[in-house]
């Protein structure tokens, strides 16, 4: 089964910036997600990098109205299935392997797979994937690299993630092959630790106002 691009795009097009979150404490997940949604960022990626990640996804999925929670840093089928079971509405991987692609085949939850080179993009395109994560964005060539791909691979669109910030987000969003960007700057660790949800809502509102 090819990627459900329509379902994935309906989520990614909700906003110009998808927050990429590392949640250390599940108790912060719900107020953090509510702050982001209040600021206009409804699609939220919680990365599977901490022991709290699955519980955080489950809590946001169950308790935060208006949120579309996804799971990031999915590296294998086991994590894919666990994230779906926890309530993820989309799955994000930094690259691709057979395990993740096989899990995606049998799932109703769409996969946003990562690619960093033209060859990787072509490989995924051949498998029916036309909405990709460009990662690590800045390190892999940044906006100029994606612009160069827009002509030969015109039917593929990207969500660049990796050292994307308020400063350079507009460079990506101005490109015809970029649907949104992923970024962690909207939820800094220090604001999460301080419980400064109003501060995060303000950053989210600034990000939501970005346009290409």
């Amino acid at each position: 089964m090819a990627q459900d691009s329509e379902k994935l795009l309906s989520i990614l097009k909700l906003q110009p910036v998808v927050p990429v979150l590392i949640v250390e404490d599940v108790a912060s997940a719900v107020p953090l997600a509510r702050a982001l949604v209040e600021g206009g960022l409804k699609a939220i990626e919680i990365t599977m990098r901490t022991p709290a990640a699955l519980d955080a996804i489950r809590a946001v999925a169950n308790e935060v109205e208006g949120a579309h929670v996804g799971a990031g840093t999915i590296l294998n089928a086991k994590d894919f299935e666990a994230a779906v079971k926890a309530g993820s509405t989309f799955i994000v991987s930094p690259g691709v392997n057979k395990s993740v692609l096989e899990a995606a085949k049998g799932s109703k939850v769409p996969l946003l797979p990562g690619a960093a080179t033209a060859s990787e993009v072509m490989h995924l395109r051949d498998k029916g994937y036309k909405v990709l994560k460009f990662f690590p964005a800045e390190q892999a060539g940044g906006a100029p690299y994606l612009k160069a791909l827009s002509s030969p691979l015109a039917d593929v669109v990207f969500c660049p993630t990796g050292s994307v910030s308020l400063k350079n987000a507009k460079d990506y969003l101005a490109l015809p092959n970029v649907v949104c960007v992923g970024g962690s700057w909207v939820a800094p660790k220090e604001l999460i630790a301080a419980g400064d949800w109003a501060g995060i809502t303000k950053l989210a509102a600034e990000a939501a106002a970005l346009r290409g």
Side-chain angles (χ1 to χ4, degrees):
M1 185 178 72
Q3 180 186 42
D4 190 340
S5 301
E6 190 175 336
K7 183 183 286 186
L8 186 56
L9 286 172
S10 72
I11 296 170
L12 298 181
K13 285 183 176 180
L14 288 171
Q15 63 218 33
V17 180
V18 175
V20 179
L21 310 177
I22 298 175
V23 179
E24 303 282 356
D25 179 7
V26 68
S28 67
V30 167
L32 171 57
R34 284 177 176 154
L36 291 167
V37 170
E38 186 179 343
L41 303 184
K42 295 179 179 180
I44 299 165
E45 176 188 335
I46 295 178
T47 60
M48 296 276 281
R49 301 184 197 178
T50 69
L54 278 176
D55 286 336
I57 290 167
R58 190 174 294 108
V60 172
N62 290 336
E63 300 178 40
V64 184
E65 188 176 350
H68 296 263
V69 62
T73 320
I74 297 298
L75 306 179
N76 53 58
K78 181 182 176 184
D79 287 347
F80 190 115
E81 289 155 10
V84 170
K85 203 170 283 187
S88 298
T89 58
F90 62 103
I91 299 292
V92 186
S93 61
V96 288
N97 56 28
K98 185 178 179 181
S99 177
V100 171
L101 289 177
E102 284 297 317
K105 271 186 185 179
S107 179
K108 293 181 179 179
V109 176
L111 168 66
L112 177 67
T117 68
S119 294
E120 291 170 0
V121 174
M122 289 174 65
H123 172 70
L124 284 163
R125 184 178 176 278
D126 282 350
K127 291 187 176 295
Y129 286 83
K130 293 188 177 181
V131 184
L132 309 180
K133 172 180 178 172
F134 178 52
F135 177 83
E138 284 291 284
Q139 295 81 355
Y145 186 91
L146 270 189
K147 184 177 181 180
L149 293 184
S150 66
S151 182
L153 296 162
D155 59 347
V156 181
V157 296
F158 298 88
C159 173
T161 306
S163 298
V164 178
S165 66
L166 184 63
K167 185 178 179 181
N168 62 16
K170 280 194 172 183
D171 296 336
Y172 289 100
L173 293 168
L175 300 176
N177 57 344
V178 169
V179 63
C180 64
V181 300
S184 59
W185 83 87
V186 293
K189 286 183 180 180
E190 60 271 19
L191 294 191
I192 296 175
D196 186 357
W197 311 125
I200 288 173
T201 294
K202 183 180 178 183
L203 290 175
E206 290 174 355
L210 289 172
R211 290 293 180 267

